[in-house]
């Protein structure tokens, strides 16, 4: 295992002794994390920045491409017709290429549009890649990857099964690697022909990174980072805790760094073994960049830009005003450029310039590994995000790669490399990733080859502008065993038996020692390793160390996948659906390395066509009610979920509507409704068009009715399935009679007339019944019944008069009024009065 990982890390090297490290100063190291400047772009900066050959910084902000001087001052702006989330690519002539959500690809130089925008069939999130011939490659939401010739003419379009938001990466031989929302990672040649397609479990938004050995690293929304061999076969996968939208970067030692929606940055070895994770406070969608010291820089949705040490420890966090989804760009001068959705682009002091590594990728956009005709790397530090490969004159080109050698112990060996480009040139040879002292020429000579000299050699060549890395040249010192049969990765089910086998050629006896992960399997010393009664704990990486008296070799890693029954991590839940509605059942299973098939059942009977982790029922009917389960099946067997009950409901039916009523002021009155329903009912009473507060029962009670309570009432009855409104009931409120002004006492003259009058209130009509001395009811023919007229008075009419006032709400008796009618004088009494007798003597 250690040998293999060591070989895979050959792309990384310790470049601290190289002359171009003068760019790093002690003062700069102490000031890292401090702000150099910030630029207000006036629009959200989700695009990632790019730097041109003259130091101009380009970044998308809203629908504008902004060009800045290195001091952060605005140089010019260009407006597209839609937002620019694509990150720009710039060539050595200062021509900038980028896509926009207006479906177009633009070419701009110094703020001037060079050719009419190239129109695709959908919005463009992908960032462009430009090859050494000037061809522009870019994806679109119309499911296509486009190849556009200089001048804006289409060369070809490659159709996938989903959005192409991944940005293409150019690898050896001009092969294009990119992802699609159809869950695939594609390899397409320069003519637009598919070479292979690798299937992941979900959308691929991430852009691929390419290692020097041809391994392609890419993330998927299925939560995994994949390592794919150059032939399209799976090398390994590493699971994070959530979706991956970030793109990977490769550090100097071969470590792969990638962000995830599990709020973490993950560091993974070239063998797919986790090294560490760094937790942030929110999603990590920004792609990382690595400096010379191995420091990793990236953005987070918690509004921060982080610097993390190679050991996974936080060095500093720079706080912005909003999400950081832009991916940082690291200049050779050690300045980190990164945008934020707070409308600003920030320049921050970093520890050093960018690392010399095989692939310093950025979010969504590729760095181009330019290749010459014999597939040698033209540039080990590709252009920044979306930037083009070299076109025209190339500064450094390896014209002759060091070749692999096979020598016997004690013999001489010589490795050489030839480079064309501007001098002076500096050379450094490395053996298995470690600098060889004094090996600073284009030729490396070994006069007396020993076992310690065996390994992989690379040459690092640089001038004042750039650095290139040779292909690995293996030196084999024949004496140790040579593996002729490598153990092969296998997949099998729990409880089964498997065997790994390895064979080696050797001039003497060999020993075998098997390893699981990094632990020795004591006692397993045969060329065959047999594992019986497989359990999940057996899953992992197996290798064998084969040795003889001259040394030892380690086999390739064979991965064992142990498949158990599908594990249901989220059971389907009970549902309530109204007739005519749509309901959906869903379940989730744990990530599986083998396909899982699904079958939904209703009351134990298979549902035709219900063969996914979700099952949707449209236009629900009563016949759909029942117990739903789903059977998950893989090569190990079947797991059946718990049952989920679907209850089908209908809107309520009112069986008794509220009825119109007549009530009396200050008396209680109630209205009621009765309804049928399959589930709980809710009620809301209305007066006129206004909902009544706290009137939410099937009965509306009014404790003391008043006249303003009179009017129309109705109730709305509802359940989960619907709503129904009752008939309107009219409520009338009667007011009982009340005496306002009672009849008054009077004295009437004999033979004359008097009138008793009463005034009263109450609901009409009012009936007036006059009484004399409480018992005698008096006939009253007066046209105004509230008046009682007594004519031709006689003393016998003297007494107490009352009136009983009645209406439909009740009756009331007035206070009594006294009538006095004096007796008339006799003839004698009148004569005495007339003659003045008056009783005087």
């Amino acid at each position: 295992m250690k040998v293999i990982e060591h070989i895979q890390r050959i792309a990384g090297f310790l470049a601290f002794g190289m002359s171009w490290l003068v760019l790093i100063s002690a003062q700069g190291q102490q000031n890292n994390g401090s702000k150099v400047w910030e630029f207000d772009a006036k629009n959200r900066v989700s695009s990632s920045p790019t730097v041109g050959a003259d130091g101009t910084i380009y970044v998308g902000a809203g629908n504008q491409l902004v060009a800045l001087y290195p001091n952060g001052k605005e140089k010019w702006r260009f407006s597209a017709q839609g937002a620019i989330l694509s990150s720009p690519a710039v060539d050595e002539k200062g021509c900038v290429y980028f896509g926009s959500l207006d479906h177009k690809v633009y070419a701009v130089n110094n703020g001037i549009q060079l050719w009419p925008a190239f129109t695709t069939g959908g919005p463009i999130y992908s960032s462009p890649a430009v090859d050494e011939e000037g061809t522009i490659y870019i994806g679109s939401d119309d499911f296509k990857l486009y190849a556009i010739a200089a001048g804006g003419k289409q060369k070809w379009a490659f159709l996938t099964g989903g959005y192409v938001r991944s940005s293409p990466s150019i690898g050896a031989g001009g092969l294009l690697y990119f992802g699609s929302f159809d869950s695939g990672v594609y390899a397409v040649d320069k003519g637009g022909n598919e070479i292979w397609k690798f299937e992941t479990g979900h959308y691929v938004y991430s852009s691929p990174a390419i290692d020097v050995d041809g391994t392609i690293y890419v993330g998927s929304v299925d939560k995994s980072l994949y390592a794919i061999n150059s032939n399209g076969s799976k090398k390994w996968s590493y699971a994070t805790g959530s979706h991956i939208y970030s793109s990977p970067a490769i550090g100097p030692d071969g470590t792969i760094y990638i962000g995830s929606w599990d709020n973490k940055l993950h560091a993974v070895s070239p063998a797919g073994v986790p090294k560490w994770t760094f937790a942030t406070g929110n999603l990590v969608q920004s792609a990382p960049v690595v400096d010379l010291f191995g420091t990793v820089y990236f953005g987070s949705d918690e509004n921060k830009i982080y610097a993390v040490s190679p050991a996974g420890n936080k060095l500093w966090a720079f706080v912005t005003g909003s999400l950081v989804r832009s991916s940082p760009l690291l200049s050779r001068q050690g300045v980190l450029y990164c945008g934020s959705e707070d409308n600003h682009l920030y320049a921050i002091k970093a520890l050093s310039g960018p690392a010399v590594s095989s692939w310093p990728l950025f979010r969504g956009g590729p760095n181009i590994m330019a290749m010459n005709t014999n597939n040698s790397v033209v540039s080990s530090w590709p252009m920044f995000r979306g930037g083009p490969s070299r076109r025209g004159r190339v500064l450094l080109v390896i014209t002759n790669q060091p070749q692999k050698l096979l020598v016997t112990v004690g013999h001489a060996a010589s490795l050489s490399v030839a480079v064309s480009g501007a001098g002076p040139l500096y050379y450094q040879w490395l053996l298995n990733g470690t600098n060889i002292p004094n090996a600073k020429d284009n030729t490396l000579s070994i006069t007396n080859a020993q076992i310690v000299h065996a390994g992989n050699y690379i040459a690092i060549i640089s001038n004042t502008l750039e650095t290139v890395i040779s292909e690995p040249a293996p030196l084999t010192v024949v004496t140790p065993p040579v593996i002729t049969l490598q153990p092969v990765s296998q997949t099998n089910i729990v409880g089964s038996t498997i065997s790994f086998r390895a064979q080696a050629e050797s001039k003497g006896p060999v020993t075998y020692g098997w390893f699981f992960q990094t632990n020795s399997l004591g006692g397993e010393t045969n060329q065959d390793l047999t594992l019986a009664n497989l359990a999940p704990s057996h899953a992992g990486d197996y290798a064998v160390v084969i040795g003889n008296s001259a040394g030892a070799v380690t086999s390739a890693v064979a991965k064992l996948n142990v498949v158990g029954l599908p594990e249901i991590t989220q059971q389907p839940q009970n549902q309530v659906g109204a007739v005519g509605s749509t309901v959906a059942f869903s379940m989730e299973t744990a990530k599986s390395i083998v396909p899982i098939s699904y079958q939904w059942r209703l009351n134990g009977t298979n549902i035709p066509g219900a063969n996914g982790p979700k099952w949707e029922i449209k236009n629900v009917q009563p016949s759909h009610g029942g117990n739903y389960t789903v059977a998950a099946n893989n090569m190990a067997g079947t797991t059946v979920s718990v049952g989920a009950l679907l209850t089908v409901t209908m809107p309520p039916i009112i069986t008794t509507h509220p009825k119109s009523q007549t009530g009396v002021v200050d008396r209680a009155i109630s209205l009621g409704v009765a309804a049928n329903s399959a589930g709980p009912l809710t009620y809301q009473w209305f007066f006129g068009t206004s909902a009544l507060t706290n009137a939410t029962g099937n009965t509306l009670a009014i404790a003391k009715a008043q006249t303003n309570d009179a009017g129309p009432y109705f109730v709305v009855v509802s359940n989960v399935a619907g709503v129904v409104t009752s008939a309107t009931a009219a409520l009338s409120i009667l007011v009982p009679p009340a005496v306002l002004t009672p009849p008054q006492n009077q004295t009437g003259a004999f033979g004359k007339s008097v009138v008793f009058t009463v005034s009263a209130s109450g609901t009409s009509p009012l009936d007036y019944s006059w009484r004399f001395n409480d018992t005698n009811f008096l006939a009253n023919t007066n046209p105004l019944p509230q008046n009682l007229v007594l004519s031709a008075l006689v003393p016998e009419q003297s007494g107490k008069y009352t009136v009983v006032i009645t209406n439909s709400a009740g009756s009331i008796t007035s206070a009594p009024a006294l009538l006095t009618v004096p007796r008339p004088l006799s003839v004698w009494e009148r004569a005495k009065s007339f003659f003045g007798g008056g009783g005087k003597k």
Side-chain angles (χ1 to χ4, degrees):
M1 291 294 294
K2 297 299 182 183
V3 173
I4 294 167
E5 291 185 10
H6 203 52
I7 292 172
Q8 290 175 317
R9 290 198 295 269
I10 288 172
F13 61 94
L14 302 174
F16 305 123
M18 307 297 286
S19 61
W20 55 292
L21 285 181
V22 297
L23 295 170
I24 308 168
S25 67
Q27 179 182 5
Q29 293 182 34
Q30 294 174 2
N31 293 335
N32 62 81
S34 61
K35 182 173 68 177
V36 179
W37 50 257
E38 66 177 279
F39 173 75
D40 186 357
K42 310 300 182 185
N43 285 295
R44 186 171 64 181
V45 181
S46 296
S47 166
S48 298
T50 300
V51 175
D54 62 354
T56 300
I57 304 157
Y58 304 94
V59 71
N63 70 326
Q64 296 181 323
L65 178 72
V66 183
L68 305 175
Y69 292 103
N71 62 2
K73 302 300 181 183
E74 184 171 327
K75 192 172 184 180
W76 51 260
R77 284 177 182 248
F78 175 84
S79 295
Q81 299 176 9
I84 302 172
L85 301 182
S86 166
S87 294
V90 57
D91 64 18
E92 70 275 6
K93 296 180 181 179
C95 182
V96 187
Y97 307 95
F98 61 94
S100 168
L101 299 190
D102 62 9
H103 302 195
K104 296 179 180 178
V105 181
Y106 293 88
V108 178
N109 196 333
N110 203 26
I112 305 300
Q113 187 168 342
L114 298 182
W115 33 260
F118 178 86
T119 302
T120 74
I124 299 175
Y125 293 81
S126 171
S127 298
V130 185
D131 69 11
E132 56 193 6
E133 298 173 354
T135 301
I136 305 153
Y137 302 98
I138 194 167
S140 171
D141 272 13
D142 63 3
F143 296 15
K144 295 177 183 177
L145 178 76
Y146 288 90
I148 307 169
K153 301 299 182 182
Q154 178 175 317
K155 295 179 73 173
W156 49 259
F158 180 85
L159 180 64
T160 75
Y163 299 151
V164 181
R165 295 186 177 178
S166 169
S167 301
S169 299
I170 304 177
L175 282 183
L176 302 165
Y177 302 100
F178 65 96
S180 168
F181 271 37
D182 65 4
S183 306
V185 179
Y186 290 86
V188 176
D189 67 18
K190 295 175 67 173
N193 303 303
E194 181 177 322
I195 304 303
W196 50 255
K197 177 184 179 184
F198 178 85
E199 290 286 351
T200 75
H202 214 307
Y203 306 148
V204 180
Y205 196 107
S206 172
S207 298
I210 309 171
D211 211 341
V212 291
D213 64 355
T215 301
I216 300 104
Y217 302 108
V218 68
S220 170
V221 178
D222 70 3
K223 308 178 183 180
S224 292
L225 167 68
Y226 290 91
I228 307 170
N229 293 309
S230 58
N231 63 3
S233 63
K234 179 178 174 182
K235 192 171 186 179
W236 50 257
S237 63
Y238 166 79
T240 71
S242 190
H243 308 316
I244 298 178
Y245 283 78
S246 169
S247 297
I250 304 173
D253 63 350
T255 298
I256 303 100
Y257 301 99
I258 195 164
S260 170
W261 276 23
D262 63 3
N263 304 350
K264 294 177 182 176
L265 179 75
H266 295 257
V268 185
S269 80
V273 178
K275 297 181 71 173
W276 49 259
T277 60
F278 178 83
T280 73
N282 211 322
L283 311 180
V284 180
Q285 303 195 63
S286 166
V289 62
V290 188
D291 73 9
L292 284 169
F293 296 105
T295 305
V296 187
Y297 304 90
F298 64 97
S300 167
D301 274 15
E302 64 173 322
N303 308 349
K304 291 180 181 178
I305 302 167
Y306 281 99
V308 178
S309 76
N313 301 312
K314 185 175 82 172
L315 299 180
W316 49 259
F318 182 92
V319 180
T320 75
S322 188
L323 310 178
V324 181
R325 293 182 175 174
S326 170
S327 297
L329 179 151
L330 189 57
S331 75
R332 286 186 178 271
Q333 291 72 32
V335 177
L336 190 75
Y337 302 110
C338 193
S340 169
E341 298 197 8
D342 65 3
N343 299 352
H344 287 74
L345 178 71
Y346 294 92
I348 305 166
K349 186 63 180 174
L351 185 63
S352 72
V356 179
S357 65
S358 59
W359 200 267
L361 275 179
F362 302 87
R363 171 178 176 253
N367 289 291
I368 310 306
M369 289 288 285
M371 300 287 172
N372 64 16
T373 55
N374 64 352
N375 292 340
S376 62
V377 180
V378 172
S379 171
S380 63
W381 174 248
M383 294 293 185
F384 296 115
R385 173 174 188 248
S389 58
R390 307 286 192 185
R391 292 197 301 163
R393 184 176 65 87
V394 178
L395 296 179
L396 286 182
V397 177
I398 296 178
T399 57
N400 185 40
Q401 296 283 353
Q403 301 298 309
K404 66 180 180 179
L405 292 176
L406 177 67
V407 299
T408 58
V409 171
H411 287 68
S414 178
L415 298 166
S416 63
V417 62
V419 180
S420 67
L425 300 178
Y426 304 92
Y427 296 85
Q428 176 64 59
W429 287 87
L430 295 90
L431 170 58
N432 295 333
T434 301
N435 286 351
I436 303 173
N438 303 317
K440 300 182 181 295
D441 202 350
N442 68 320
T443 298
L444 174 67
S445 297
I446 302 171
T447 58
N448 182 16
Q450 298 296 319
I451 298 302
V452 294
H453 295 122
N456 284 271
Y457 289 79
I458 59 172
I460 306 204
I461 309 97
S462 64
N463 59 16
T464 57
L465 294 178
E466 66 176 346
T467 299
V468 293
I469 308 173
S470 75
E471 291 180 353
L475 172 61
T476 302
V477 180
V478 290
T479 298
V482 176
I483 297 178
T484 58
L485 177 65
Q486 298 281 4
V488 178
S489 296
Q490 300 186 49
T491 297
N492 219 320
I493 64 174
V494 170
S496 62
T497 298
I498 62 95
S499 291
F500 292 109
R501 165 168 285 197
Q503 289 180 349
E505 287 184 355
S506 173
K507 294 183 178 180
V510 296
T511 60
Y512 296 85
W514 286 91
F515 285 77
F516 173 52
Q517 309 292 43
T518 58
N519 302 315
S520 173
L521 296 175
E524 297 294 345
T525 57
N526 297 318
Q527 70 179 76
D528 291 323
L529 171 65
T530 300
L531 301 174
N533 194 22
L534 288 182
S537 59
H538 288 114
D541 295 335
Y542 291 82
V544 60
V545 175
I546 306 174
N548 61 14
S549 59
V553 289
T554 302
S555 73
V557 173
K559 181 175 288 294
L560 173 60
N561 298 310
V562 179
V563 180
L565 293 175
E567 179 186 355
I568 298 178
T569 57
Q570 180 177 306
Q571 298 284 353
Q573 302 297 308
N574 293 340
Q575 304 275 1
V576 176
V579 169
S581 67
T582 297
V583 298
F585 290 98
S586 65
M587 58 88 75
E588 289 185 7
T589 54
K591 183 178 180 340
S592 176
I593 59 174
V594 296
I596 298 177
S597 62
Y598 303 90
Q599 177 61 62
W600 287 87
R601 301 168 179 171
L602 172 57
N603 297 329
T605 301
N606 289 351
I607 303 173
N611 305 119
K614 296 183 179 179
W615 173 236
E616 184 177 78
I617 305 171
K618 298 180 179 179
N619 190 24
V620 168
Q621 297 299 316
S623 60
H624 291 126
N627 189 52
Y628 286 80
T629 56
V630 59
N633 183 76
N634 65 9
M635 60 186 293
T638 300
T639 302
V640 180
S641 72
V642 300
L645 185 64
L646 173 59
T647 302
V648 181
T649 63
M650 298 181 63
I653 299 173
I654 295 179
T655 56
T656 303
H657 290 268
K659 295 182 172 48
S660 297
Q661 297 187 45
T662 298
V664 178
V665 166
D666 289 334
R667 296 182 186 174
I669 193 169
S670 65
L671 298 170
V673 68
N676 288 336
S677 170
L681 292 173
T682 59
Y683 303 85
Q684 178 59 61
W685 288 87
F686 287 80
F687 176 55
T689 58
S690 300
L692 296 173
T693 303
N694 298 325
T696 56
N698 62 340
T699 300
L700 175 65
I702 303 174
K704 296 181 70 175
Q706 302 298 317
T707 55
N708 58 3
D709 291 325
Y713 289 80
F714 66 92
V715 61
V716 173
V717 185
S718 60
N719 62 11
V720 294
V723 175
V724 65
T725 301
S726 74
T728 299
L731 180 60
S732 301
I733 303 300
L734 303 178
V735 181
V739 176
L740 300 177
T741 304
Q744 303 297 311
N745 295 336
Q746 297 192 54
T747 300
F750 182 83
K752 301 297 184 179
S753 298
V754 294
V755 178
F756 287 102
T757 300
V758 68
S759 65
S761 64
T763 301
S764 299
L766 295 175
D767 178 67
Y768 298 86
S769 178
W770 289 89
R771 298 181 180 182
F772 175 53
N773 290 333
D774 294 331
T775 58
N776 299 327
F777 289 88
L778 302 176
N780 184 12
T781 60
N782 195 299
L784 298 175
Q786 64 271 38
N787 296 337
L788 175 65
V789 179
L790 299 176
S791 304
L793 292 175
V794 295
E796 287 75 18
Q797 291 179 294
S798 296
K800 182 170 63 174
Y801 288 83
T802 57
V803 60
V804 178
I805 307 167
T806 304
N807 67 4
S808 56
S811 64
I812 190 171
T813 301
S814 70
L818 298 178
L819 173 62
T820 303
V821 180
R823 184 175 56 83
L825 296 175
S826 64
V827 175
W828 173 250
E829 288 172 325
R830 286 198 300 274
K832 286 178 62 176
S833 174
F834 178 79
F835 290 106
K840 293 182 179 181
K841 294 183 179 181

